[in-house]
Amino acid sequence: MPPKVPYKRHLSQGGQIGPAVKVVQSRTAKSTSKKRDEDASTEVGEGADEWTLSKTLLKPPDQLELTEAELKEEVTRILTANNPHAPQNIVRYSFKDRAYKPISCVDQLAIHFSLDGNLLLRDSDEGRRQSAKIGLEPELAPVESTVIEVEETEVKEEGSKEDIPAASAEEAGEGEEPPPHSRKEQKLTNQFNFCERASQTFNNPMRERACQMEPPPRATFSATANQWEIYDAYVEELQKLEKSKEKEKQKPLVAKKEDKPRGRKLTSLESQSDDVTKVTKAAKIVERMVNQNTFDDVAQDFRYFEDPADEYRDQEGTLLPLWKFQYDKAKRLAVTAICWNPKYKDLFAVGHGSYDFMKQSRGMLLLYTMKNPSFPEYIFNSESGIMCLDIHNDHPYLLVVGFYDGNVAIYNLKKSHSQPGYKSSAKSGKHTDPVWQVKWQKDDMDNNLNFFSISSDGRIVSWTLVKNELVHSDVIKLSVEGTTMEGPEGLQLQTIGCGTSFDFHKKIDYLFLVGTEEGKIYKCSKSYSSQFLDTFDAHHMAVDAVSWNPYHMKVFISCSSDWTVKIWDHTIKTPMFIFDLNSAVGDVAWAPYSSTIFAAVTTDGKAHVFDLSINKYEAICSQPVVAKKKNKITHVQFNPIYPIIIIGDDRGHVTCLKLSPNLRKMPKEKKGQEIQKGPEVEITKLDKLLNLVREPVNKPEK
């Protein structure tokens, strides 16, 4: 390697900058240079130095005059890979949009010089092949091998030198040096012999695919519409409607096929249109598919999610919100009734009305399915608010509804029109006060459909469908015992009791319970219309709900606005259990899978779930289920199969929630024993709890 030369800068007389090279000269060169300097000094002047001469800075005539601040200012320039000469306004025609569109990706690569070379590296494979053909293979030995050979020769020479004695070494030193050609020169590697490869690819071109087809055929239609032609068209439409109504009246109410009603209710004009009816089924399927994709995570939670945190909650559970059912036109109407369909477990009916007698307007009957939570399956409008409803067990398409104005009606989901098939009137014996509850009963001796209703007017009425009309008969009239009033001319008037709820026994057909506004519960029989079998002084305020246990035939539950929920044995006049929930209780319901689990909802927006086999004193789950504290919960119902409940509030919303594993505990498996299941196990489980609180029977003295 050549020695490194220091690089210096100096100004010449002309003001140019150039390198100053320090050169090692011989003695003769130094003497000649001194003579030249002396001659030059005599020409310029004795004792004068070239550095003492005045120096001028040459500037081009067009150079800008800049201040110190401008000279110190840093000017940032960004170097980009874009070609400044590349066109920016290239457009191409798009057959899809039928318009010219600018191209965003323009080629920015600019080639300044291109030359195809024919040089090869000597150490490359191709270079060795060509040198082998020419006959230069021994000269092209790899550098590493030569280095190794040189090192080996050096080692041998050192070894041979050690073997020679010192005297011979001195003699050899006195001799002549070996010729220079006998020594092998060490090849140095070329430090600049390297290769760097790079490539630049083009961007993938954007392509559009389009197809051209024949336009649909078009036809021009024109006609003159006169007044009589319009009149004839209306008359023809009215005749079709009358014929369809006559056919519906001739059909029997109970159909033979118990198919699940499909499709949303259509208006009379839509039902007459063939085009709409053809699309209805397909649109319904597409709507359900869209909803299942939208609520896929909720559907997965509904089916498979089990809260693993229940293992660490010490026998407490939670409610997981799933869906929220709401309809825009029913926002200002309270949920007054909820009922699951007994055959189709994903379908339930919701009645809308108002509990405020000062704000009574219209009502709505909606049917929702969990397969489509965004819109109701059926929509029925009514002039009066709906206060209660029930679905027939054997005919799941028949719904009986009680109104605020005292009427009862029956809706048939298989009919295309939105009006009830049967409705009471003043002539047929309708109630004079709101109907608070209706219940389907077994068919009578002539196989006619039969249901019961209770109202604030004190009447419990049995309604029977005979041919095409409703026939009523009063089963019992409620009266308050011990409260008589003196009327005109000394007549004794008895105070009428106001019925609010009732429930029929699951096994004993004639036995049923009645709750009243006075807080009393009457045990009644269908056979006796003038007296009660028993009377319970249950609550201090109105009884909002009363229900028999689905397993134990002696136990029933009641709730009231006096903040309490009570569990009774109908053979004992005192309650077995009393729970205070610190707010008015709107509804209570037994769980269908256990005899000891029930749920209650209060007006402060909370849902309470109790399991008497785990905790006999307080709820194992108390959870708010509405967004705002002002919202009041009105009703609750358990699904007969799935571990979910639905809760309605006074804003028209229905919330579906899933019960966590702690809220539906089943007996644990024991080694070598099978789990006993069935109603008998549930009855014995509840009997054990009741025996703990029952008063012991005094044995007769001997």
Side-chain angles (χ1 to χ4, degrees):
M1 293 291 291
K4 295 184 179 180
V5 179
Y7 186 84
K8 297 183 180 180
R9 294 178 181 269
H10 71 277
L11 292 176
S12 63
Q13 291 182 0
Q16 296 180 353
I17 300 174
V21 181
K22 185 178 180 181
V23 182
V24 179
Q25 299 174 343
S26 61
R27 295 177 181 178
T28 57
K30 286 183 180 180
S31 62
T32 55
S33 62
K34 283 182 180 181
K35 291 179 181 179
R36 288 176 185 174
D37 293 340
E38 291 174 359
D39 295 338
S41 62
T42 55
E43 292 177 1
V44 177
E46 292 182 359
D49 193 2
E50 60 178 355
W51 293 102
T52 60
L53 298 178
S54 61
K55 298 175 183 179
T56 59
L57 184 63
L58 298 179
K59 296 182 180 179
D62 57 346
Q63 183 173 350
L64 294 175
E65 295 292 338
L66 301 176
T67 61
E68 289 295 333
E70 291 176 343
L71 288 173
K72 291 181 180 180
E73 182 182 358
E74 293 183 0
V75 180
T76 305
R77 292 186 179 182
I78 300 173
L79 183 62
T80 62
N82 295 335
N83 186 6
H85 302 290
Q88 303 294 335
N89 55 354
I90 297 178
V91 295
R92 288 183 183 175
Y93 186 76
S94 174
F95 292 93
K96 180 180 178 181
D97 300 330
R98 296 184 179 181
Y100 286 95
K101 288 190 170 182
I103 298 175
S104 59
C105 53
V106 180
D107 188 11
Q108 302 290 340
L109 179 64
I111 301 173
H112 299 287
F113 179 76
S114 176
L115 178 64
D116 295 334
N118 53 3
L119 297 178
L120 294 174
L121 291 173
R122 297 180 65 183
D123 296 339
S124 63
D125 296 337
E126 185 66 25
R128 289 183 180 181
R129 290 194 204 99
Q130 291 188 10
S131 61
K133 290 180 181 179
I134 299 172
L136 302 177
E137 181 65 21
E139 297 180 2
L140 297 176
V143 178
E144 296 178 359
S145 63
T146 58
V147 174
I148 294 170
E149 290 176 1
V150 172
E151 290 177 357
E152 290 176 357
T153 55
E154 290 177 356
V155 171
K156 289 179 180 179
E157 290 177 1
E158 289 176 2
S160 62
K161 288 180 181 179
E162 291 175 0
D163 296 336
I164 297 173
S168 63
E170 292 177 357
E171 293 176 358
E174 294 176 357
E176 296 181 355
E177 295 180 359
H181 62 271
S182 63
R183 295 181 182 178
K184 292 185 178 180
E185 296 181 357
Q186 182 179 357
K187 290 185 178 181
L188 300 176
T189 58
N190 188 0
Q191 296 181 0
F192 301 97
N193 187 11
F194 67 93
C195 180
E196 183 178 348
R197 294 181 177 86
S199 63
Q200 189 171 1
T201 60
F202 293 98
N203 295 328
N204 295 328
M206 302 294 292
R207 295 180 180 178
E208 292 184 2
R209 291 186 178 181
C211 60
Q212 189 174 1
M213 61 180 185
E214 296 181 0
R218 298 182 180 180
T220 305
F221 173 77
S222 61
T224 303
N226 297 325
Q227 188 173 1
W228 54 84
E229 290 181 354
I230 297 173
Y231 176 77
D232 292 342
Y234 272 101
V235 171
E236 185 178 356
E237 185 72 19
L238 290 173
Q239 289 176 356
K240 289 182 180 179
L241 291 174
E242 290 177 358
K243 288 181 180 179
S244 62
K245 288 181 180 179
E246 290 177 359
K247 289 181 180 180
E248 289 176 358
K249 289 182 179 179
Q250 292 175 0
K251 290 180 181 179
L253 179 65
V254 181
K256 293 182 180 179
K257 294 183 179 180
E258 298 179 356
D259 298 331
K260 182 176 180 178
R262 299 180 179 272
R264 194 177 298 132
K265 276 296 176 181
L266 304 174
T267 60
S268 59
L269 293 177
E270 289 176 339
S271 63
Q272 298 297 326
S273 175
D274 295 335
D275 297 336
V276 176
T277 53
K278 290 178 181 178
V279 182
T280 302
K281 187 175 181 180
K284 180 181 180 61
I285 295 173
V286 172
E287 185 181 15
R288 287 192 175 184
M289 291 172 62
V290 171
N291 277 280
Q292 288 179 5
N293 292 334
T294 304
F295 301 100
D296 180 64
D297 54 344
V298 181
Q300 297 295 331
D301 290 346
F302 161 67
R303 287 284 186 185
Y304 308 109
F305 178 74
E306 300 294 347
D307 191 358
D310 273 16
E311 298 178 3
Y312 311 99
R313 286 201 180 102
D314 193 18
Q315 298 182 345
E316 292 183 358
T318 57
L319 297 172
L320 174 67
L322 296 176
W323 296 284
K324 191 173 185 179
F325 301 87
Q326 58 185 358
Y327 184 51
D328 292 339
K329 295 183 179 179
K331 277 186 177 180
R332 298 182 180 179
L333 298 175
V335 176
T336 54
I338 296 178
C339 183
W340 287 99
N341 193 294
K343 184 175 182 181
Y344 307 101
K345 310 304 180 183
D346 62 318
L347 188 70
F348 63 93
V350 181
H352 290 274
S354 177
Y355 287 115
D356 191 352
F357 70 95
M358 296 293 292
K359 297 179 181 179
Q360 289 297 324
S361 56
R362 58 186 177 87
M364 294 191 77
L365 174 61
L366 305 177
L367 279 90
Y368 292 97
T369 176
M370 291 188 293
K371 298 176 181 177
N372 183 11
S374 62
F375 201 84
E377 292 288 306
Y378 289 86
I379 301 172
F380 298 95
N381 294 298
S382 62
E383 296 178 356
S384 179
I386 295 175
M387 306 309 294
C388 55
L389 61 89
D390 193 26
I391 303 176
H392 202 284
N393 285 326
D394 299 330
H395 309 292
Y397 51 86
L398 294 180
L399 281 83
V400 59
V401 173
F403 295 99
Y404 188 84
D405 59 2
N407 283 314
V408 292
I410 297 176
Y411 288 90
N412 189 351
L413 301 183
K414 290 189 175 182
K415 300 296 181 181
S416 58
H417 56 78
S418 60
Q419 298 299 321
Y422 297 87
K423 190 174 182 180
S424 64
S425 61
K427 292 182 180 179
S428 59
K430 80 177 190 69
H431 293 279
T432 57
D433 277 351
V435 181
W436 294 111
Q437 199 164 356
V438 289
K439 283 280 186 181
W440 285 104
Q441 293 298 299
K442 295 181 180 179
D443 298 348
D444 62 359
M445 301 296 292
D446 299 328
N447 293 327
N448 294 321
L449 297 178
N450 179 31
F451 68 91
F452 278 60
S453 65
I454 187 171
S455 172
S456 301
D457 60 1
R459 296 167 56 207
I460 299 175
V461 182
S462 172
W463 302 85
T464 308
L465 277 71
V466 180
K467 295 183 180 179
N468 292 325
E469 61 178 355
L470 285 173
V471 179
H472 82 285
S473 61
D474 291 352
V475 176
I476 195 169
K477 289 185 178 181
L478 301 176
S479 60
V480 181
E481 296 180 357
T483 56
T484 56
M485 297 176 60
E486 291 187 2
E489 299 179 358
L491 294 175
Q492 296 292 326
L493 301 177
Q494 195 167 9
T495 306
I496 298 175
C498 300
T500 56
S501 59
F502 65 162
D503 191 27
F504 292 85
H505 201 275
K506 304 298 186 292
K507 297 292 183 181
I508 306 173
D509 185 53
Y510 63 86
L511 187 64
F512 64 97
L513 299 169
V514 177
T516 62
E517 285 186 5
E518 293 78 22
K520 294 185 178 182
I521 297 176
Y522 299 109
K523 185 166 67 173
C524 307
S525 172
K526 296 179 183 178
S527 305
Y528 300 97
S529 60
S530 58
Q531 59 182 357
F532 308 124
L533 299 181
D534 206 347
T535 304
F536 301 90
D537 293 328
H539 298 277
H540 302 291
M541 297 181 70
V543 179
D544 293 325
V546 61
S547 176
W548 289 99
N549 190 285
Y551 294 97
H552 203 290
M553 296 300 102
K554 292 184 178 182
V555 178
F556 68 91
I557 193 171
S558 65
C559 69
S560 171
S561 300
D562 62 357
W563 300 7
T564 60
V565 174
K566 298 182 180 181
I567 297 176
W568 305 78
D569 184 340
H570 77 90
T571 59
I572 303 173
K573 286 198 172 186
T574 56
M576 300 288 102
F577 296 96
I578 302 175
F579 302 97
D580 191 345
L581 302 184
N582 298 324
S583 185
V585 186
D587 196 9
V588 69
W590 289 103
Y593 53 84
S594 176
S595 62
T596 59
I597 298 177
F598 64 92
V601 291
T602 54
T603 55
D604 60 352
K606 289 184 178 181
H608 308 267
V609 181
F610 292 81
D611 190 350
L612 300 179
S613 62
I614 296 176
N615 194 333
K616 300 185 292 294
Y617 305 102
E618 59 184 8
I620 58 175
C621 175
S622 293
Q623 180 176 325
V625 293
V626 291
K628 298 179 181 179
K629 292 183 178 179
K630 295 181 180 179
N631 294 8
K632 299 179 180 179
I633 303 178
T634 55
H635 287 279
V636 61
Q637 281 292 326
F638 281 87
N639 187 282
I641 290 182
Y642 304 117
I644 58 174
I645 59 173
I646 50 175
I647 293 173
D649 58 21
D650 61 348
R651 298 300 176 94
H653 301 158
V654 178
T655 307
C656 180
L657 303 107
K658 183 175 182 179
L659 301 165
S660 66
N662 280 355
L663 302 182
R664 42 191 169 89
K665 272 192 173 180
M666 304 304 291
K668 295 182 180 180
E669 296 183 1
K670 295 182 180 180
K671 294 182 179 180
Q673 296 182 1
E674 294 183 358
I675 299 177
Q676 296 180 354
K677 297 181 180 179
E680 296 179 356
V681 177
E682 297 295 332
I683 293 171
T684 55
K685 182 169 68 172
L686 186 56
D687 268 334
K688 289 181 180 179
L689 296 171
L690 295 177
N691 291 333
L692 297 175
V693 296
R694 281 178 180 150
E695 294 182 0
V697 179
N698 295 327
K699 295 182 180 180
E701 296 180 359
K702 294 182 180 179

